[in-house]
Each structure stands twice: as C-alpha cells, then as structure tokens.
Amino acid sequence: MAVTRAMRSAAALSLTDAQPVPFWLEDPGRPGALPALAGDERCDLLVVGGGYSGLWTALLAKERDPGRDVVLIEGKEIGWAASGRNGGFCAASLTHGLGNGLARWPQELPRLEKLGAANLDAIETAVARYSLDCDFERTGEIDVATEPHQLDELHEMYEEAVGLGFEGLDLLDQDAMRAEVHSPTFLGGLWDRRGVAMLHPAKLAWGLKRACLDLGVRIYEHTPGLDLVAAGPGMAVRTPYGRIRARRVALGTNVFPSLVKRVRAYTVPVYDYALMTEPLSAEQLASVGWRNRQGLGDSANQFHYFRITADHRILWGGYDAIYQYGGKVRAEYDDRPATYLKLAEHFFRCFPQLEGLRFSHAWGGAIDTCSRFSAFFGTAHGGKVAYAAGYTGLGVGATRFGADVMLDLLAGERTERTELEMVRKKPLPFPPEPVAWAGIGITKWALARADANGGRRNLWLKAMDRAGLGFDS
C-alpha cells in the first residue's frame, strides 16, 4: 500500500508528544545507582557488564557456590542499554528461531530446543524464587503472515517442527489469527504457546540487581572496565578510579568493545527502534482483541515485533535496522525521527481502527549482531577469562544460558552445554570497513527486494546463505 500525504501527516501527528527516551527506563520503580569503585578490590570472579548477561552470570555463580566472592562492574547504570530498551520478548530459542537453528545445527537442534526450554523454565522459576516484579507472562508468540508467500513458509515451518517432535505449536488460518489479534493485514499465523514469555525488561534487570546484592555480590555502577591484563595467577581490570584483581573474569559487554580485542570483529552494532503508545481505552482494546496477550512478529525479512504491556499500551518496533559506518556505539544514534515516522505509518496500516492513538515514547538502541544471528562463546588468557556475545536481539532469555556456558568454561568443565557445536565454534567475523558497511547495505537492499517479490532471494542472498552469513531487521 502506497503511503499517502494524509497517512504521513496522521502518523507525524501521532508522534508529536513522544518522548525520545525508553519507556521502560522511566518506570518510577527505577533504583538509584550504586557508587563507583574507588581504590582496589580483590575477588574470585569479576563480572564486567551490568546487563542481563552479567547479572545472570553473577547470580548463577553465587547459586553454584554461595561462598564465591563475586564483583560486578557496570560502565553506567544497571540495565540502561539493551537490557532496558528491548521489546520484552523472553524466548526459549537459543538459535534465533527454528529456521536459523535448522540451517546451522540440524543435528543438534532437538538438544538445543530442549536446553532452551529448560532455560526459559529456569527463568520463570527465578522470577518466583527471587520475587522479580517484572510483569512475567508465559503467553507465547505468534509469527504472523501478512503476505501469501509467508503463509506457505509458516506451513513449512510447522511441518518441520512437528516432524522433529516439537509440541505447543498451533497453525492459525486467517479467521483464527484475526480472532486472536485483529488486523486487516493478517492472513494467518503460527502460535508457539509456551516458547516465549512477555515481561518488563528494565524491571527484570533491576530485580536481578537486587537478587545479586541479596546474595552478596558487590556491584559498582559508573565503573567501566578500561583494560584487562594478566596479574600473577589471575587477571586485573583497571577502572577510572581503581583496579580489580580476580581469579577469573566473565565478560558480558555484548555490543560494547570487548576487553579481549580479537573478539571485536565478531559483532557489529545494529540500531533498532521502537515506539510505545499511550494506554488504549476499553473500546480500543476491544477493537484489536488481544485477550491472550501474545507477543507478535510479522514474517518479513524486514519485520516488526509488537506486544501489549501490563497497562494496555502497544509496543511497536523493528523493521528499520540501521548500521552506522564504522560500527560505533554513540548516544546520538539512539534517536532517529525518520525511523519513528516510518514505524508510525506501518502501525496505522496494521491497526487502522486505532486512528488517533498517540505515541508516548520513541527510542532506539544498539544490538550486538553477529553473522550467525545467535550467541557465540569463548575463553582467553589460558581459560581465566570467558565471554559471550552476539545475541542479535534475542538475549532476554538466551543470556541466562550464556551465563551458564561462561561459568562452565571458567570452571574448565565438560558439560552438555560446552560440548555443543554452537558453543565450540564461532561465526564468521565481519570484514573491516568499508567492506562491512557496503556488504550490510547491499544485504538490506536485497532483503527488502525479497519481501517485495514473494520472498524470492536473489543471487546475493543465496551466496550469503551458502557462506553462513545472516542479516535482517
């Protein structure tokens, strides 16, 4: 559907009151920051990074060994980056979906799916055990078809999943899909009833912070790790006002430059953007249905993700993934009005019955994207340092699994996790500039062409598939 001047004007009007800050981080329950480190510290385990990756690592380290002395440092405040800006989709999948898993680890996929399901169950258990007030709802997620060729793809995915013994999947025709969530653009869907939970992402991070503190983890905020060097039998990390010596170090810095420099080529920062509406009225809620409160995502290469919040707002994000030349992470990239306008236009195309609804917040943030679309792992400095990165937008759930992997690696243990090919092998690194910028740009163009041409992939995308490289919104 072509965008008319009237449609663009209405979309622009809906954004005039939107605050350019993440909705989640404005919650009145946001805790105050803890003091920065001043002076020297010693510990058994140092965790660098105060997002989900670092928080789960610190928490699980104390669960495994309550006597272990654990310190966590965060460059700004707990949960301020991706962990406080995402859509709140907590997925069981460790492979960025069934299709990506089948393409990369077909022999391991049943085991990966089992481990992913157990990981999501463990997150739900932790939410109850530690009273994490994060609006956790095990609603599932629906992959929505908005084009005829996407229906065929969803049917194929359903048949493959059932053939592998997966349960809890429902294939929805147009009427069933629109009975769940009503949009004139919806043609059908595939509902994974148990594999995804919805939650308040910042509250999860803040709750994990409190749980870590209760278990005795020492947390220092506004304390970036500046460098990492060997120090006797352990390691040392320098900070602006001090230094920390640790027997072992776990790096959960994700999109930010790793303290292990050779890891940096494996990720690029891709900026993702989202809008949040004002609360819907009872009449507006009735017009869209959504009584089962599932997360939704359309099935295009340039896809949207959307969900309904505890206070009946709609989050609408995705589609316009942006890579900035040089791969820098900068605060000015978090705000992009041109993308907000595009997202608002798409929102009202999907939900024309909500015409007149306004957006209260609009924001962006960087995703640590790797070429295989799912996390990779490794060690450095003779096994004294472990890292996990490259979650590519699916880290709300998978970071807990990654924390377990890092702890296994630091302990030198052979476990079901460390034996996985997914854990033992890394993705292809990204090339240096200007090749990375050009390659990502061409790939985005080709993906948009595929969406407009019945999903048909051109020679460039087929070559990327053969090389094991991936990129989408």
Side-chain angles (χ1 to χ4, degrees):
M1 179 192 298
V3 177
T4 67
R5 182 176 297 180
M7 292 168 62
R8 175 152 293 190
S9 177
L13 185 63
S14 72
L15 291 163
T16 54
D17 296 324
Q19 299 298 306
V21 293
F23 167 78
W24 312 113
L25 295 177
E26 287 208 316
D27 192 276
R30 181 174 184 171
L34 295 168
L37 172 68
D40 291 348
E41 272 275 20
R42 289 180 178 270
C43 60
D44 296 323
L45 174 66
L46 171 63
V47 179
V48 182
Y52 298 142
S53 188
L55 291 164
W56 281 119
T57 303
L59 186 74
L60 294 177
K62 294 294 283 187
E63 287 185 351
R64 291 187 182 198
D65 180 1
R68 181 161 20 191
D69 188 18
V70 180
V71 169
L72 182 149
I73 60 172
E74 161 56 40
K76 291 193 177 180
E77 294 185 24
I78 295 295
W80 76 275
S83 298
R85 296 166 186 264
N86 64 81
F89 288 64
C90 185
S93 177
L94 305 174
T95 63
H96 213 284
L98 181 63
N100 195 49
L102 282 169
R104 301 185 187 282
W105 304 287
Q107 301 304 317
E108 287 189 347
L109 190 59
R111 191 189 312 175
L112 286 164
E113 290 293 311
K114 176 185 172 184
L115 288 168
N119 183 65
L120 182 55
D121 287 344
I123 292 172
E124 186 169 17
T125 298
V127 167
R129 177 181 179 183
Y130 295 107
S131 300
L132 305 180
D133 180 18
C134 61
D135 302 336
F136 187 97
E137 297 179 273
R138 196 79 174 255
T139 60
E141 180 181 11
I142 303 177
D143 290 330
V144 180
T146 58
E147 297 289 345
H149 75 271
Q150 295 168 8
L151 277 175
D152 296 335
E153 293 168 359
L154 291 182
H155 277 80
E156 291 173 10
M157 190 66 66
Y158 175 77
E159 295 298 333
E160 285 187 295
V162 170
L164 289 168
F166 294 172
E167 299 177 348
L169 299 177
D170 287 340
L171 200 58
L172 308 178
D173 62 16
Q174 179 174 290
D175 290 342
M177 180 66 238
R178 295 184 185 182
E180 291 296 329
V181 183
H182 182 72
S183 167
T185 68
F186 293 172
L187 304 180
L190 180 59
W191 185 0
D192 178 356
R193 287 183 174 269
R194 291 287 298 166
V196 182
M198 295 290 105
L199 52 76
H200 186 303
K203 284 185 176 180
L204 174 61
W206 300 334
L208 289 172
K209 172 185 176 180
R210 176 181 51 78
C212 285
L213 291 170
D214 289 345
L215 292 181
V217 177
R218 301 196 302 285
I219 297 176
Y220 298 97
E221 295 180 81
H222 296 291
T223 303
L226 302 179
D227 58 38
L228 172 70
V229 296
M235 302 297 300
V237 171
R238 182 172 58 87
T239 69
Y241 308 121
R243 187 176 69 155
I244 306 167
R245 296 172 69 104
R247 292 180 58 250
R248 296 290 184 268
V249 177
L251 301 178
T253 49
N254 298 73
V255 78
F256 299 99
S258 176
L259 292 178
V260 177
K261 292 183 179 179
R262 59 182 164 84
V263 176
R264 296 178 184 180
Y266 289 98
T267 62
V268 294
V270 173
Y271 277 80
D272 179 57
Y273 298 90
L275 307 177
M276 185 71 85
T277 72
E278 62 189 358
L280 274 64
S281 68
E283 293 77 17
Q284 289 169 327
L285 278 170
S287 74
V288 295
W290 222 334
R291 290 176 297 277
N292 290 312
R293 303 177 57 79
Q294 311 94 329
L296 294 114
D298 61 52
S299 301
N301 291 307
Q302 290 185 286
F303 64 90
H304 306 86
Y305 56 86
F306 38 118
R307 50 82 55 97
I308 195 161
T309 67
D311 61 346
H312 309 308
R313 301 168 184 264
I314 295 176
L315 177 141
W316 178 266
Y319 187 82
D320 207 11
I322 302 296
Y323 173 73
Q324 300 285 352
Y325 185 88
K328 303 295 184 183
V329 179
R330 293 178 176 167
E332 60 260 37
Y333 299 154
D334 291 344
D335 188 38
R336 199 166 193 269
T339 293
Y340 303 153
L341 182 59
K342 188 181 299 184
L343 286 173
E345 292 166 359
H346 296 176
F347 177 88
F348 290 111
R349 187 184 306 167
C350 180
F351 295 121
Q353 68 269 43
L354 297 180
E355 181 181 358
L357 189 67
R358 307 289 284 255
F359 294 102
S360 62
H361 296 76
W363 71 93
I367 293 172
D368 60 325
T369 301
C370 77
S371 62
R372 73 181 190 194
F373 268 41
S374 53
F376 63 91
F377 314 90
T379 61
H381 293 277
K384 300 173 189 175
V385 177
Y387 56 83
Y391 291 95
T392 317
L394 215 68
V396 181
T399 45
R400 186 193 175 280
F401 173 82
D404 263 330
V405 171
M406 285 196 285
L407 292 171
D408 289 349
L409 293 172
L410 289 173
E413 296 176 351
R414 293 183 62 179
T415 67
E416 185 178 16
R417 289 179 288 263
T418 62
E419 292 297 297
L420 292 167
E421 181 183 354
M422 175 189 180
V423 171
R424 292 184 290 105
K425 295 185 178 180
K426 292 184 177 58
L428 291 172
F430 288 93
E433 298 291 16
V435 179
W437 183 82
I440 291 171
I442 293 169
T443 302
K444 284 190 63 181
W445 170 84
L447 289 169
R449 293 273 296 176
D451 285 339
N453 289 285
R456 291 184 292 275
R457 298 172 76 82
N458 63 15
L459 292 175
W460 175 266
L461 292 179
K462 291 177 180 177
M464 295 284 283
D465 292 339
R466 287 193 296 272
L469 294 165
F471 187 82
D472 68 10
S473 64

